[in-house]
Amino acid sequence: MKMCYNSKYYMLRAELSEDNEEIERDIKTVLELDKSDEIYGQIGEIYFRKEMYEHAIKYYEKALSVNNSKKETMEDLISSYIRTEKTEKAD
């Protein structure tokens, strides 16, 4: 599924931002445009790269609730659990 131009723009802004409030605003805008598993996974990746693992977990779990067949998303979720020392969930 391709994202529309606006969602790409807001995803990029969230990725580049250092301001947590701006990130949240941009992600909220993206979710108004698209709530696919792909979008949830990409939001999880943004938070993961920013070392905001609790937020990453939330979005990886949402991605898997929409489509639980994505191995990469499951691996990313496990990595987030490990980084938050929630190793019992990583098993």
Side-chain angles (χ1 to χ4, degrees):
M1 172 184 249
K2 289 189 173 186
M3 292 186 291
C4 69
Y5 174 78
N6 287 335
S7 64
K8 284 183 181 180
Y9 169 77
Y10 288 106
M11 289 291 281
L12 181 59
R13 275 180 40 136
E15 176 116 29
L16 297 175
S17 180
E18 297 295 325
D19 179 351
N20 289 349
E21 288 182 20
E22 186 175 295
I23 294 167
E24 292 294 326
R25 254 190 328 270
D26 289 339
I27 286 175
K28 181 180 177 186
T29 302
V30 169
L31 291 173
E32 288 172 1
L33 299 168
D34 188 352
K35 292 185 180 177
S36 67
D37 64 303
E38 181 180 327
I39 290 293
Y40 287 134
Q42 289 175 355
I43 292 170
E45 289 173 21
I46 288 171
Y47 282 125
F48 186 88
R49 285 193 291 272
K50 293 183 177 293
E51 298 180 1
M52 299 171 74
Y53 303 117
E54 293 292 337
H55 291 295
I57 288 168
K58 173 183 170 183
Y59 286 97
Y60 289 140
E61 287 176 342
K62 284 186 179 197
L64 290 168
S65 74
V66 175
N67 180 356
N68 67 0
S69 66
K70 291 203 171 181
K71 181 180 175 185
E72 182 179 329
T73 303
M74 181 58 77
E75 291 169 351
D76 293 339
L77 177 61
I78 291 168
S79 293
S80 297
Y81 283 143
I82 291 169
R83 286 187 172 72
T84 59
E85 299 181 2
K86 293 183 178 181
T87 53
E88 71 281 354
K89 289 190 176 186
D91 293 333

